[in-house]
Amino acid sequence: MSESSAHAHQPPSRSEVRKWKKIVAEFEKPISWRATWQLVTTLGLYFAVWAAMYHVVKTPTSLWWLLPLVPLAGGLLVRVFIIFHDCCHNSFFKSEKLNRVIGFVTGVLAFTPYKHWRWEHSIHHATSGDLDRRGVGDVWTLTVDEFLKLDRKGRLVYAMVRNPVILFLIAPVYLFVLRERIPSAKASLVTKRAVWFTNAGLLAMAA
């Protein structure tokens, strides 16, 4: 191993870590006016696309007009989920209460219960990279030794999970339409209620 490659694999010193934390800290502070602008433009455009799609369906016009609107709505929904995610980290607005309110609303739009997902996501962050505590908020990942111990069927399933069709089409439908409707057995009663309230919000939205 060359001297340069050996140096590249050395862990950063404490002073370097403190230096980088100081730089990153400037970007961790919520900025209310930017958050408000992102929220208004995202939800405004999302509901405008909703209205446009509803108009196409309800008027005697070609349904082909829906084709450009569907990916646009999908892209805006991804942006809604990003806002939801930042609310779960209590980093979108400075106010924790406002983050909870916006998190619930955007969570209903994104088919995801705010408190329940925040609880699972915090576990994911606390256990990410820990081989002894895998399985929450991550894609099924094995070590090389674990993979080699699998039989042929197990390796096939492992590969199928990573197929783009399953990973980006089938899995999201399962997660957001079905799995997020059922609270975890390990969740507290308050966290479980978040799932029920979100389900009620989805029923109201559908109605």
Side-chain angles (χ1 to χ4, degrees), residues 91-129:
S91 62
F92 192 65
F93 283 107
K94 294 179 180 179
S95 168
E96 183 177 352
K97 183 177 180 179
L98 195 54
N99 280 317
R100 289 200 305 266
V101 172
I102 300 301
F104 174 76
V105 173
T106 53
V108 171
L109 293 174
F111 288 65
T112 312
Y114 171 71
K115 284 187 178 180
H116 191 273
W117 193 87
R118 184 181 64 174
W119 167 66
E120 287 192 323
H121 195 58
S122 64
I123 295 175
H124 165 68
H125 275 284
T127 60
S128 179

Side-chain angles (χ1 to χ4, degrees), residues 116-161:
H116 191 273
W117 193 87
R118 184 181 64 174
W119 167 66
E120 287 192 323
H121 195 58
S122 64
I123 295 175
H124 165 68
H125 275 284
T127 60
S128 179
D130 189 336
L131 296 179
D132 295 325
R133 296 191 293 170
R134 288 170 286 178
V136 179
D138 54 21
V139 178
W140 180 34
T141 305
L142 301 175
T143 64
V144 174
D145 289 338
E146 289 171 337
F147 178 80
L148 293 176
K149 291 177 182 178
L150 292 176
D151 56 19
R152 186 174 182 180
K153 180 181 178 181
R155 294 185 185 186
L156 177 62
V157 173
Y158 192 78
M160 287 177 62
V161 169

